[in-house]
Amino acid sequence: MTVPEGRGIEGTAAVSGTFRILHVSTGNVCRSPITERLTRHALSHRLRDPLAGGLLVESAGTWGHEGAPMEANAATVLTDFGADPSGFTGRELLDEHVIRADLVLTATRDHRAQVISMGHSAGLRTFTLKEFTRLVRAIDPATLPDPDHDGVVERARALVRAAAALRGWLLAPSAEADEVYDPYGGPITFFRSIGDEIHQALDPVLTALTGVPAARR
C-alpha cells in the first residue's frame, strides 16, 4: 500500500502514534502543493506503508486560495518527478492545521513568522524547509531512535526536537539561504528550478525522518 495522493487524513491529530507534517506557502497552489506531493511520493517509495507508520502529510497557504486547483506548471513539475498532482485543492491556513501539526515546514521566513504568530506553541516545530534541511544535516542519525525498533513517529519527533535545539547555534549563511521563492506567474523553467530546489531540500529530511535513503537511480 502506498500513500494516497489526495489530502491528508483529517481528525487524527493528537492521536498517539501519528506524526503530521504541514507544508505552508502563500496561496497553496504552487510551492506547498509541490512540497506536499513530493513528500508523499518519496515516502511511498521509502516506506512500505507510510500511513500505517503514522506519517501524514498536508499543506495550506497563509493567503490560501480555498478550493482552487494547483497551478498547471506546478502539476507539470510533479509529473516530471513521477508524483501525482491529481485531486489537489487549495486551503487557507487555519488554527486547527497548526494545532495538530507535529512539524510545520514553510517556504519562507515570513511564512514561518506568520505560523508562529498564530500561537499554539508552534515555535519549536516550525521551520522553513531549507532551514530544517540545514539543521537536519548537522544531526547524527545514530542519535535518533531506530525506526525499526522504536517506530518512525518516535524518530520524527526526536528529529524535530534535535533541530529546534540546534537552531540558535547553526545559523544560515545568508538571509536568502532559507527561502524558496515563489514561482507564481513564472514560466515552466522557473517552476522546474523551484521544484528541483524543493526536491533537493526534501531528500535529507526524509532520509533523516525515516532512516531510509532514497533509492539510487
Side-chain angles (χ1 to χ4, degrees):
M1 179 179 177
T2 59
V3 174
E5 295 289 352
R7 307 302 297 178
I9 294 175
E10 301 295 333
T12 54
V15 176
S16 178
T18 64
F19 185 90
R20 188 181 295 266
I21 303 169
L22 174 66
H23 294 294
V24 175
S25 62
T26 303
N28 194 214
V29 291
C30 296
R31 288 168 290 181
S32 50
I34 290 173
T35 315
E36 175 194 322
R37 292 302 176 88
L38 285 182
T39 301
R40 289 170 178 256
H41 180 68
L43 288 175
S44 72
H45 285 78
R46 293 174 193 242
L47 301 176
R48 182 177 302 174
D49 187 350
L51 284 177
L55 298 182
L56 308 173
V57 186
E58 57 187 354
S59 64
T62 55
W63 290 87
H65 298 180
E66 189 73 30
M70 189 186 309
E71 281 290 297
N73 282 345
T76 297
V77 167
L78 287 171
T79 301
D80 289 344
F81 282 104
D84 185 358
S86 64
F88 183 89
T89 54
R91 302 190 307 177
E92 182 175 356
L93 181 67
L94 301 176
D95 289 273
E96 64 192 66
H97 302 145
V98 177
I99 289 169
R100 67 192 183 197
D102 296 286
L103 172 63
V104 184
L105 296 176
T106 70
T108 70
R109 292 168 296 156
D110 283 345
H111 296 134
R112 182 185 65 194
Q114 290 180 65
V115 171
I116 293 173
S117 73
M118 295 172 72
H120 315 302
S121 303
L124 293 178
R125 50 195 167 92
T126 303
F127 310 78
T128 76
L129 171 61
K130 287 187 174 181
E131 174 192 22
F132 195 65
T133 301
R134 174 167 48 80
L135 297 171
V136 161
R137 288 184 185 276
I139 297 169
D140 182 354
T143 64
L144 300 173
D146 182 347
D148 293 327
H149 181 267
D150 302 297
V152 173
V153 167
E154 288 306 312
R155 183 182 178 92
R157 289 174 178 161
L159 183 68
V160 173
R161 291 193 297 269
L166 278 176
R167 180 150 44 190
W169 298 93
L170 190 63
L171 302 179
S174 68
E176 294 76 26
D178 288 341
E179 306 276 293
V180 175
Y181 291 108
D182 192 355
Y184 184 77
I188 185 60
T189 51
F190 187 23
F191 271 81
R192 283 186 167 127
S193 70
I194 294 300
D196 285 339
E197 280 187 37
I198 292 171
H199 182 262
Q200 290 174 25
L202 280 174
D203 181 66
V205 169
L206 296 176
T207 297
L209 277 172
T210 63
V212 180
R216 292 187 179 182
R217 295 185 178 182

